[in-house]
Amino acid sequence: MMHSRSLLSMFALAGAIFATPTPPRQAPEYVGYLVSTFSDPTPKVQFHLSNGNDALSFTFLNGGNPVLASDVGTKAVRDIFLATDSARSEYYLIATDLDVRAAGFSWDKATRHGSRGIVVWKSSNLVDWSGPSLQTVEPETAGMVWAPSAVWDDQELLYYVFWASRHYDPSDTEHTGTASLDRIRYATTRDFATFSEPKDYLAPPGIPLIDQEFQYLGKPGAFARFFKDETVGRVYQEVTSDGLFGTWTRLEGYVHSDGQREGAASFADNLTPGLYHLLLDDYTQYIPYETTDIYSQSWKGSNRTGFPSGLKHGSVTPVTQKEYDALIAAYGA
């Protein structure tokens, strides 16, 4: 999509401790990875499960068919993200509500009069899902809501939800004028049904940003984050040691030099300490990258022998043996 992410691990935010699936270092309880994604021909939720604990080899579950479809909003979804709490007692799939195949579609129209909500499904086991709901998160000044992601706060017992949006002057009710640059916004929720008032998270002057992704770096407060700079169509990286709302330092250059990319999905390797993976969408499918030095701009292309083709902007979640077995039992390998 012209515009995110995997879950974070433990981190500090304004004195709070956050917890999500990826632990401070590789943990033996994670036996594989689940990719939640979509494809351009089929804008529905698709699951790909790793073959064992191999971060670069996956099988398309459910016989190569989607596991969920939207019948709300545009009735199509993109930018799939799987969120969960630290206890793994609940799971939410959230997605952009956008159908690029709709009659009369244009990217300009999508940014001026696109959906101001996100599509949400809920489950207690990754297998049995609620029906989809469309949850409005932005006021009428917004032109669209793209690429939602979420982070669980283990102290406040709520989720921080992030997305990209642009806004028009309140007097421009038809959104015919010039909007603000794309920016990253956020709100909080406990149930993905009621949300706090949205606020800006990041809106740097002169740089339109979409597709935010976080990566925990092994100790509280230490993170990398990735964004797509819409001006150049490339992804850049920042790092911090003092939490999500702390001071961030941008690494020189861009993550990649092999054409335009978007939709970053980052995750730590379950087996090799210090190894990180990054999936970037080249507008047709995900390309995998990896690094053993995430504090420098040293990403390189990964071996794609077992990596499936056609995957689009989604998220990667490490899974336990219980979750892995449940997914195979429900959707087949």
Side-chain angles (χ1 to χ4, degrees):
M1 186 171 188
M2 295 186 69
H3 46 283
S4 195
R5 353 207 154 296
S6 66
L7 289 171
L8 313 182
S9 187
M10 302 286 296
F11 65 93
L13 170 59
I17 297 297
F18 288 69
T20 56
T22 308
R25 58 175 298 154
Q26 287 68 20
E29 65 265 29
Y30 294 112
V31 302
Y33 312 86
L34 175 66
V35 178
S36 305
T37 187
F38 75 102
S39 66
D40 282 326
T42 310
K44 304 175 182 180
V45 179
Q46 303 170 10
F47 281 169
H48 293 252
L49 187 64
S50 64
N51 296 310
N53 223 343
D54 188 336
L56 294 172
S57 178
F58 290 84
T59 295
F60 197 159
L61 296 184
N62 203 33
N65 297 306
V67 296
L68 294 169
S70 175
D71 60 5
V72 297
T74 67
K75 299 183 180 181
V77 289
R78 303 170 70 84
D79 316 327
I80 315 300
F81 188 89
L82 176 61
T84 185
D85 60 1
S86 59
R88 301 276 188 151
S89 64
E90 60 184 20
Y91 306 86
Y92 292 93
L93 279 165
I94 59 179
T96 300
D97 175 35
L98 180 63
D99 186 359
V100 303
R101 307 162 306 161
F105 172 83
S106 73
W107 285 107
D108 181 69
K109 182 179 178 181
T111 59
R112 293 179 184 273
H113 303 286
S115 177
R116 294 182 290 109
I118 59 177
V119 180
V120 179
W121 290 268
K122 182 179 180 179
S123 175
S124 62
N125 57 13
L126 286 177
V127 172
D128 302 303
W129 292 93
S130 70
S133 64
L134 181 61
Q135 302 297 334
T136 300
V137 295
E138 282 282 18
E140 293 182 356
T141 55
M144 84 289 187
V145 169
W146 281 353
S149 64
V151 176
W152 171 253
D153 179 337
D154 209 24
Q155 190 171 63
E156 298 296 325
L157 300 179
L158 53 73
Y159 295 88
Y160 280 75
V161 186
F162 299 86
W163 62 87
S165 187
R166 65 176 61 171
H167 285 256
Y168 293 81
D169 188 277
S171 65
D172 184 8
T173 56
E174 298 301 316
H175 296 183
T176 58
T178 301
S180 68
L181 295 179
D182 298 333
R183 61 188 59 194
I184 305 302
R185 303 266 284 171
Y186 78 98
T188 60
T189 185
R190 297 183 189 277
D191 56 8
F192 286 87
T194 302
F195 295 81
S196 67
E197 180 180 353
K199 299 179 180 179
D200 284 350
Y201 175 61
L202 190 63
I207 304 178
L209 294 181
I210 60 172
D211 295 358
Q212 176 183 254
E213 170 74 329
F214 293 104
Q215 176 62 60
Y216 175 64
L217 299 181
K219 58 183 179 181
F223 294 90
R225 66 183 181 187
F226 306 89
F227 304 94
K228 180 193 177 187
D229 179 342
E230 283 278 72
T231 302
V232 296
R234 297 175 70 181
V235 175
Y236 70 85
Q237 177 183 344
E238 296 180 340
V239 294
T240 186
S241 60
D242 57 356
L244 189 65
F245 284 82
T247 300
W248 291 81
T249 300
R250 178 171 174 173
L251 301 186
E252 183 178 357
Y254 295 92
V255 169
H256 57 99
S257 59
D258 51 350
Q260 293 191 336
R261 300 284 186 269
E262 61 182 4
S266 178
F267 60 105
D269 194 274
N270 286 342
L271 299 176
T272 304
L275 175 61
Y276 294 91
H277 302 276
L278 183 67
L279 307 182
L280 297 180
D281 190 333
D282 72 353
Y283 300 93
T284 65
Q285 63 182 347
Y286 260 146
I287 307 299
Y289 301 81
E290 63 187 63
T291 186
T292 56
D293 184 8
I294 201 169
Y295 283 97
S296 68
Q297 207 67 278
S298 59
W299 294 93
K300 64 179 182 179
S302 301
N303 185 333
R304 298 183 60 193
T305 302
F307 195 79
S309 61
L311 275 65
K312 296 285 291 179
H313 186 168
S315 63
V316 183
T317 306
V319 292
T320 65
Q321 189 70 63
K322 179 181 178 181
E323 293 164 336
Y324 192 97
D325 292 344
L327 288 164
I328 290 179
Y331 301 117

